[in-house]
Amino acid sequence: MNRLEENQLNFINMRLGTFIHFNSAAVQFSSGEIIDWEFDHENHGAPRQFPFSEKDWNPAGLDCRQWALAAKSAGCRFAALTTKHHEGFALWPSAYGTHSVKYATGKRDVVAGYLEAFREEGIAAGLYFSIMDLTAGIGKGSCTQEQKKLVRGQITELLSNYGEIPFLIVDGWNAPWGGPSYEMLPFEELDGLVKSLQPDCLFMNIGCDTGLSGTDVVFYENAAGQEVEGDFHGPGVSCNKLTKTWFWRKEDRETPPSPAAWAVSKMGQYFPMNINFMLNLSPNPSGRLEENLVQEFARIGKLVSLPEPLAKLPEGWLIREPRRPGHEADGI
């Protein structure tokens, strides 16, 4: 078993995790027709209609420990936070650009607060980062050398300033709905950068659900309809949610989440195939979870039964091909 396979196996043995969607969309799109992000801008080339002002970011009640305790009550062993979503707002004081908490009304480093709280509860805390950035203009129509410097610089900040990061999930990249293509920004370049900074950090690519050619772990966005096809034995991860949208909406206060039994049934489908399950938590603009979602996570913890850890790679486990030469990290 090589180093990557050992890290993959350790990740799969955690089984259950949470995906925390907390970013500008919780403020911008808490009501109205737009859901989660300004989709049409990238997919159809429409002009942007909803720029986000840093001054509108002020989560005065931010409580990362509440998130961690909710995750722990469900039995979650790992977590990811949307450090930057497709809109482009960075939840840490980035030195690249001016679209971050450094220039916001609420200047707290949310990434640092999240990592501290989850580590204290013994939950492996990873990060999510969107390659597509509507504010910086990075997408399927543009990924210049200057824009690549922003991508490279921000990933470097996340993997250099916060200690050990077990995995980095990227999104908005080579997707039919948007983001730069691999021709514009080759996978090997960013993969090489990540491994040069943290050799044991798994590099996971949302939407890369057909093999390991562009990811360390096959990633199914189950809530977007991605299902496993054929005979699969790992390594994989799936993400889903108990609420209608990934980011908080005003109706979430009163709308009952999907029941815990439903989530546990999804786990029963995925765990035997060595696919981990990530269940979404969506803090409100003040930085706290609604009580109905907290209670449903606690119910999951009473129902869930996690498989015994794998001691070795099972038959049929996908093998990652060696990285192609010619795409070193300093070529970005």
Side-chain angles (χ1 to χ4, degrees), residues 205-211 215 218-221 226-227 229 232:
N205 190 357
I206 290 184
C208 200
D209 64 348
T210 56
T215 185
V218 181
F219 209 115
Y220 301 92
E221 191 172 359
Q226 291 179 338
E227 292 289 355
E229 294 183 1
F232 187 85

Side-chain angles (χ1 to χ4, degrees), residues 12 17 27 35 41 76 78 87 107 111-112 119 121 135-136 138 175 191 196 223 225 274-275 282 330:
I12 293 303
V27 178
I35 292 175
H41 171 80
C76 295
F78 67 97
E87 190 279 330
K107 300 183 184 300
V111 174
R119 287 167 175 167
E121 296 304 323
T135 297
I138 301 171
D191 181 55
S196 72
N274 298 314
I275 298 173
S282 46
D330 60 5

